[in-house]
Amino acid sequence: MNYPVWQRSFKPPKDLAEYPVGTAFPAGHLVETNASWRSQRPVIDAEKCSSCRICWLLCPDGVIHNTKPEGLEIDYDYCKGCGICAKECRQKAIRMENEGI
Amino acid sequence: MHGQKAFLSGNEAVAAGVRLARPHVIAAYPITPQTTVIERLAEMVEDASLKTEYLHVESEHSALSACIGASAVGARTFTATSSQGLLYMAECLHYASGGRFPVVMMNANRSLALPWNIYGDQRDSLSLLDCGWIQAYAEDAQESLDLIIQAYAIAEHPDVLTPLMINLDGFVITHTYELVSLPSQEGVDAFLPPFQTVNKMDLDHPMSLAFTAGPAYNQAFKQLQHQALLSASKVILDIEERFGQFFGRNYSGLIETMHCEDAEFILVTLGSVAGTVRPVVERLRSLGERVGLVRIRYMRPFPDLEIRKALAGAKAVGVLEKDISFGYEGTVFTNVNSALSRSNVKPSRLLNFIGGLGGKDISAADIEHLFLRLKSTDDGETVAFI
């Protein structure tokens, strides 16, 4: 499954003339990140993780990706730090770490 | 390019215009006094004189939503509503304008509850003036039909791509029968090319439609909407000129004036009541009174320059409208006053006459009395109910 990802190569429109007509643009363009209000970040301990994927199922923002063979991956560009994954993890494999201020 | 003549109500003239414009999709929900528009359209679909996808939806919210969805695949769309139905669409009105989907809608101007009332006033559309739609106000059945055909050309113009609402005074226009000239189908086909847009779902060029734009980008889209509305002023004039060449009926742009060149006392109004003002102006003129009329045809884009020009020589101006922004004044008056305040056109008296709410009759005698009030120098209320 392909997830939309932040297009780091995206160049913001310089002026109004570079904006699209209406709200239509080639699909899959996430032009901004959306995680600035996160005060804690979930970190997966690969040693404890059993790959049960309950966090992947329950993440309300769909930012835990199950695409790599080496394990689950959290997209910190869009994770809001709600902590549901850490709360629900049966292996206690996810800890919430304070974000630096 | 001239077709036949027919004896039609305003609503039937709208339906005739819609058939000539060949929309791909019509979605509508009946409401008095709009109902006969969509009844006639349903009959046309039934007798196969109109080939369109006619959607019987369960609400006005769904009607406009369906039109937006259809417009988003590049279809030409039509809906019609009135009063409470228009308010029920309010959320979708912004979706259509923000998404730049050029839906054409007819609105039968009708009072808003409570007290419940099915008769005409213009509080429904004027309370939604800020929804990003072009707003036109017809005076009779012929203009209603012509506006429908012009509306698609204006709304779908690449410089505009903005939905357009055509307002007909409930019953006074919607249900009054008049002799109407019907343009020929060949003429309308030549006048109105098929709708083309890049702003659509297209399997060859997949797009994300109706996307989110956060704080960094959102305002730019709103500026573009504003630009599109302002651009519509010129497009309307161009389309009307072309319409005149095709069909021999000429319109005067965002406003229509009568005897304003040398008028000292001018009434500014919109919709069907202009038809009552006109003979009063003629009568007073025959008595030597220098009176005039401005009929606003488009409230958005607002004809600020045209109004300044028309009112340049006036000593006193009255704005007569079937609308009130409770706690202040009529919305049309606010707009006219704003247009004048940004210029050196300063009539010594500028009054707001509110009338016709809930269908209250405005008679020729009432209009004559308004001109007398403009002439008098008594200090009265700036905002007065008639």
Side-chain angles (χ1 to χ4, degrees):
Chain A
M1 185 172 172
N2 292 321
Y3 292 88
V5 293
W6 178 28
Q7 306 279 315
R8 286 165 200 273
S9 61
F10 174 75
K11 288 192 178 60
K14 285 199 293 288
D15 52 33
L16 291 181
E18 291 192 359
Y19 275 78
V21 175
T23 48
F25 205 65
H29 262 74
L30 289 173
V31 301
E32 294 175 285
T33 59
N34 193 354
S36 62
W37 66 77
R38 186 176 64 228
S39 57
Q40 291 188 314
R41 64 165 55 201
V43 178
I44 299 173
D45 184 340
E47 295 293 316
K48 290 185 187 169
C49 175
S50 68
S51 297
C52 74
R53 294 180 291 180
I54 191 83
C55 58
W56 172 73
L57 275 174
L58 295 178
C59 171
D61 253 329
V63 296
I64 301 181
H65 297 339
N66 180 35
T67 49
K68 292 185 178 166
E70 55 268 33
L72 296 159
E73 188 182 31
I74 296 171
D75 182 349
Y76 293 109
D77 287 336
Y78 296 97
C79 168
K80 311 297 185 295
C82 70
I84 286 175
C85 53
K87 172 91 175 164
E88 294 294 337
C89 177
R90 290 162 196 185
Q91 312 300 327
K92 305 278 181 241
I94 303 179
R95 64 179 184 279
M96 298 301 289
E97 290 184 355
N98 285 339
E99 291 284 0
I101 299 169
Chain B
M1 297 302 170
H2 302 286
Q4 57 198 27
K5 293 203 182 236
F7 193 55
L8 299 177
S9 70
N11 277 351
E12 290 172 348
V14 166
V18 170
R19 174 163 59 186
L20 288 165
R22 298 187 193 270
H24 301 96
V25 173
I26 296 172
Y29 189 85
I31 179 169
T32 302
Q34 155 264 36
T35 311
T36 49
V37 177
I38 64 168
E39 282 179 354
R40 290 299 94 79
L41 289 169
E43 288 164 10
M44 293 168 183
V45 172
E46 198 63 24
D47 69 19
S49 65
L50 170 60
K51 289 186 177 55
T52 190
E53 192 69 41
Y54 192 108
L55 302 175
H56 301 265
V57 289
E58 77 283 13
S59 75
E60 289 85 357
H61 190 280
S62 300
L64 186 50
S65 298
C67 286
I68 291 167
S71 189
V73 296
R76 179 172 289 164
T77 59
F78 178 75
T79 188
T81 190
S82 178
S83 180
Q84 313 294 137
L86 183 68
L87 297 199
Y88 193 18
M89 285 180 177
E91 174 187 30
C92 310
L93 292 171
H94 289 264
Y95 260 87
S97 56
R100 308 291 296 278
F101 299 121
V103 178
V104 170
M105 163 155 66
M106 172 267 190
N107 178 55
N109 281 128
R110 169 186 139 179
S111 183
L112 298 169
L114 283 169
W116 187 255
N117 180 301
I118 59 167
Y119 297 96
D121 70 38
Q122 293 163 340
R123 287 190 301 126
D124 54 357
S125 56
L126 289 173
S127 71
L128 290 164
L129 197 56
D130 295 342
C131 68
W133 284 52
I134 298 169
Q135 278 200 6
Y137 289 79
E139 187 185 337
D140 57 28
Q142 182 72 63
E143 188 181 22
S144 304
L145 184 151
D146 293 344
L147 274 172
I148 290 282
I149 294 165
Q150 293 167 12
Y152 285 103
I154 296 161
E156 294 169 2
H157 191 284
D159 293 348
V160 179
L161 279 175
T162 293
L164 197 155
M165 182 194 305
I166 298 159
N167 293 282
L168 280 68
D169 279 315
F171 293 107
V172 179
I173 306 179
T174 61
H175 285 62
T176 299
Y177 278 76
E178 298 170 45
L179 193 60
V180 173
S181 266
L182 293 167
S184 68
Q185 185 65 65
E186 302 73 51
V188 175
D189 287 345
F191 173 78
L192 195 58
F195 173 36
Q196 306 269 1
T197 182
V198 294
N199 180 29
K200 66 173 179 183
M201 184 182 287
D202 179 348
L203 294 180
D204 295 328
H205 303 94
M207 298 269 225
S208 172
L209 282 169
F211 56 53
T212 297
Y217 302 106
N218 202 289
Q219 181 168 297
F221 286 93
K222 300 296 135 193
Q223 284 178 252
L224 287 169
Q225 271 179 263
H226 183 57
Q227 267 184 11
L229 258 289
L230 295 176
S231 304
S233 299
K234 179 171 187 311
V235 172
I236 288 166
L237 291 178
D238 294 346
I239 298 289
E240 285 180 355
E241 189 183 344
R242 194 156 168 271
F243 187 89
Q245 289 159 4
F246 268 75
F247 306 109
R249 279 188 299 285
N250 296 296
Y251 289 92
S252 54
L254 304 185
I255 66 169
E256 182 188 1
T257 60
M258 179 183 181
H259 295 314
C260 286
E261 303 74 30
D262 66 342
E264 295 177 335
F265 308 103
I266 297 178
L267 265 186
V268 179
T269 192
L270 67 172
S272 62
V273 76
T276 313
V277 178
R278 208 168 270 126
V280 174
V281 167
E282 290 298 3
R283 206 183 82 77
L284 293 176
R285 280 265 158 184
S286 73
L287 300 173
E289 302 287 354
R290 287 163 66 175
V291 296
L293 162 69
V294 171
R295 179 173 71 94
I296 294 175
R297 297 185 67 241
Y298 283 86
M299 276 299 290
R300 286 293 180 272
F302 192 70
D304 56 345
L305 299 175
E306 293 82 351
I307 282 178
R308 278 174 215 154
K309 187 167 169 240
L311 301 182
K315 286 183 182 162
V317 172
V319 177
L320 169 61
E321 61 188 298
K322 300 176 180 178
D323 164 71
I324 172 87
S325 176
F326 296 112
Y328 197 37
E329 60 193 17
T331 295
V332 182
F333 182 79
T334 304
N335 280 263
V336 171
N337 196 8
S338 159
L340 296 184
S341 74
R342 287 188 277 154
S343 74
N344 52 14
V345 178
K346 305 276 186 228
S348 53
R349 306 189 75 213
L350 185 58
L351 303 179
N352 189 195
F353 303 124
I354 311 284
L357 300 187
K360 187 173 191 285
D361 189 41
I362 302 174
S363 68
D366 292 333
I367 303 287
E368 201 163 324
H369 185 64
L370 297 185
F371 278 116
L372 284 176
R373 283 170 76 165
L374 288 182
K375 272 187 79 173
S376 96
T377 50
D378 292 348
D379 288 334
E381 296 285 332
T382 301
V383 181
F385 286 86
I386 66 156

